[in-house]
Amino acid sequence: MIPEVVAAGPVRLRPFLADDADDLAAGCGDPENLRFNPGMPRPYTVADARWWITEGAPAARAAGGVAYAVADAGTDRLVGGAGLSHVVPGRDQAEVGYWVAPWARRRGIATAVTRALAETAFRAGLVRLELLTHAENPASQRVALAAGFRHEGVRRAAGRSRDGGRHDLLAWVRLGDDPDGPTPRVLPDLPDGRLTDGVVTLRRLAPDDVEPLHRLHTLPEVVANRVPQVAPTRAAIERRCRVAESHWLVGASADFAVLDAATGTVAGGCALVYDEPATGQAMVGFSLLPEWRGRGFAGGLLRLLAGWAFDDVGLARLWAGTRPDNVGAQRSLERAGFHREGLMRGRLPGPDGSRVDSVLYALPAPGRR
C-alpha cells in the first residue's frame, strides 16, 4: 500500500490541496518544466491546476500509481510534484516522475524526493523503477545518478514532442536490491569544472560553443580526418554541444572545449571516448583552429587530458589514431609522450568506398609502461 504522506528530508510528499492551485499553476507553467513535459497544457492556468487537484491526481492513484504534491516541510508551501505512473503489476515495475518549482531549485529537493519515492515504492512491493530523461536534460540525469539509478540504455522514440514528432529518452533504472547511495560515475566531473596549465584550459563542451566548433569541424583538413569524411551540419554540431554533458554522465565520452587560458577564447576541441571499459582503455582525439596551431596548445591539451584520464578516471591506457600524412598530429602526440605502435592498414573508410590506413599511437598510465 502506497502511503498518503512520505517524509523526504527538507520536504514531504502529501496529497494536493485546493490551496495549492496558484503555486501549482506557477510551477507547472515555468518554461523549464514545460520544456521537458510536452503534454502539459500551454499556458498552464489555475483552472488546469484545479482540475489536476480534483481529478488528475486522484485518477493516478486509482490507476495503481500515485501523484504527490511536494511541500516544504516547514511551511507546507507547494514546491513541486512527484509520482509513480505506468505501473505494470505483472512486472512489479513503475515509472518515477517529478518536477520542482523555480523558487525551490538548487536545494537538493529533486534528489531527496526521488530517493524517498523509490524507497516507498520498494516497500509497497515494486522491484523495478524507471526514470526516463531527455538527453538534453542533464539536471534530471544527475538526479537519477544521485538517487541510485543506473543508466540502462535508450528508449527509441519513447518521447512525444509538442509538434507531434517523437524523440528518444534515456532509461535510468533502480532495482529494489540495488545499493543505497549515489551511483558511481565512470567519468567524474572536472575539478573546479576545468583543467588548466596556465596556457591551455579544458572544460566540458557547452551549448554556447556551437559557432567555433562548427567552424572547426567544417575545415577541409579537419573533415579529411573525420569518420566518415563528411562535414557535419550546423544542426549536428548544435546537438553535439547540447548532449555533451549527457554523454559524460552516462560514461560514453568526455567532450571538451579547448580554451586559451589567458582570454577564454575557444581554440579547438578534444574528446576522450571510453571505448574499452573492460580493458581500461580510451581513445583521444583533438583538433585546433588554424590561428591556434603551432603554439604548443596540442601538446598541452594532451598532457592535461592524460593526467585527468589516469589520475581521476583511473584508465590504464590511452590511444589515438592519425592518418599517415597527418604529421602535425603525430608530432603533437609524441611531444605529449605517446609512442607510435604501428600501422593499421585499411582501418578507416575513405572517400568513394576506399579504405584509409591509420597510424596507432598509445600512452600507458605511469607505472604501467
Side-chain angles (χ1 to χ4, degrees):
M1 181 68 179
I2 299 177
E4 290 281 327
V5 179
V6 176
V11 296
R12 66 191 186 108
L13 313 183
R14 60 159 174 78
F16 284 92
L17 306 175
D19 289 345
D20 294 329
D22 287 342
D23 282 338
L24 179 59
C28 288
D30 173 66
E32 190 68 14
N33 285 329
L34 289 174
R35 178 186 175 196
F36 297 112
N37 292 280
M40 281 189 178
R42 297 168 190 244
Y44 196 100
T45 65
V46 173
D48 294 316
R50 288 172 179 154
W51 175 89
W52 177 254
I53 292 168
T54 58
E55 299 186 45
R61 186 175 281 273
V66 64
Y68 286 115
V70 178
D72 184 278
T75 66
D76 201 41
R77 182 185 179 186
L78 186 81
V79 293
L84 300 171
S85 62
H86 300 96
V87 179
V88 185
R91 296 181 179 177
D92 296 323
Q93 75 174 42
E95 182 180 329
V96 175
Y98 70 88
W99 60 270
V100 177
W103 56 85
R105 291 175 187 153
R106 290 175 289 279
R107 290 169 46 189
I109 288 175
T111 298
V113 165
T114 303
R115 284 176 176 164
L117 198 55
E119 292 164 3
T120 299
F122 294 141
R123 284 196 297 269
L126 295 176
V127 298
R128 173 184 164 88
L129 297 176
E130 292 188 348
L131 197 164
L132 302 181
T133 69
H134 198 290
E136 297 178 16
N137 189 359
S140 280
Q141 294 167 45
R142 288 183 180 274
V143 168
L145 286 163
F149 286 68
R150 303 181 189 179
H151 179 247
E152 191 171 82
V154 177
R155 287 278 199 91
R156 296 175 59 202
R160 190 187 303 275
S161 302
R162 186 70 179 173
D163 60 5
R166 311 289 301 189
H167 59 263
D168 297 345
L169 292 173
L170 304 186
W172 302 83
V173 173
R174 181 174 172 183
L175 305 180
D177 57 358
D178 280 343
D180 292 332
T183 300
R185 293 265 304 279
V186 174
L187 297 175
D189 288 325
L190 301 177
D192 300 320
R194 59 190 57 224
L195 305 170
T196 188
D197 60 4
V199 176
V200 182
T201 294
L202 303 183
R203 63 158 169 76
R204 187 180 63 241
L205 195 67
D208 291 341
D209 295 324
V210 173
E211 289 295 341
L213 201 71
H214 183 249
R215 179 187 164 212
L216 174 66
H217 286 281
T218 52
L219 292 169
E221 67 273 22
V222 176
V223 173
N225 288 282
R226 288 177 57 87
V227 179
Q229 295 176 341
V230 178
T233 64
R234 182 182 176 84
I237 293 296
E238 288 175 348
R239 177 163 176 76
R240 175 176 173 177
C241 293
R242 291 197 304 267
V243 302
E245 186 172 358
S246 175
H247 289 171
W248 201 304
L249 292 171
V250 303
S253 62
D255 215 345
F256 297 86
V258 179
L259 312 179
D260 171 31
T263 64
T265 303
V266 175
C270 66
L272 181 146
V273 180
Y274 203 174
D275 59 340
E276 286 194 36
T279 61
Q281 299 183 76
M283 179 188 74
V284 299
F286 63 96
S287 50
L288 294 171
L289 289 163
E291 60 268 31
W292 299 98
R293 296 171 190 165
R295 301 168 62 171
F297 272 48
L301 72 87
L302 286 167
R303 285 187 288 271
L304 287 170
L305 184 56
W308 176 74
F310 295 143
D311 296 340
D312 293 28
V313 182
L315 294 177
R317 183 175 184 269
L318 298 177
W319 71 273
T322 77
R323 289 168 60 96
D325 59 356
N326 192 350
V327 177
Q330 294 169 28
R331 288 176 176 168
S332 295
L333 288 164
E334 290 166 356
R335 283 195 292 268
F338 284 71
H339 293 275
R340 177 172 173 152
E341 292 194 341
L343 179 69
M344 295 180 283
R345 297 175 58 195
R347 175 176 175 267
L348 303 174
D352 303 322
S354 63
R355 303 294 298 184
V356 179
D357 296 344
S358 180
V359 181
L360 175 64
Y361 280 81
L363 177 65
R368 302 186 184 185
R369 302 179 184 181

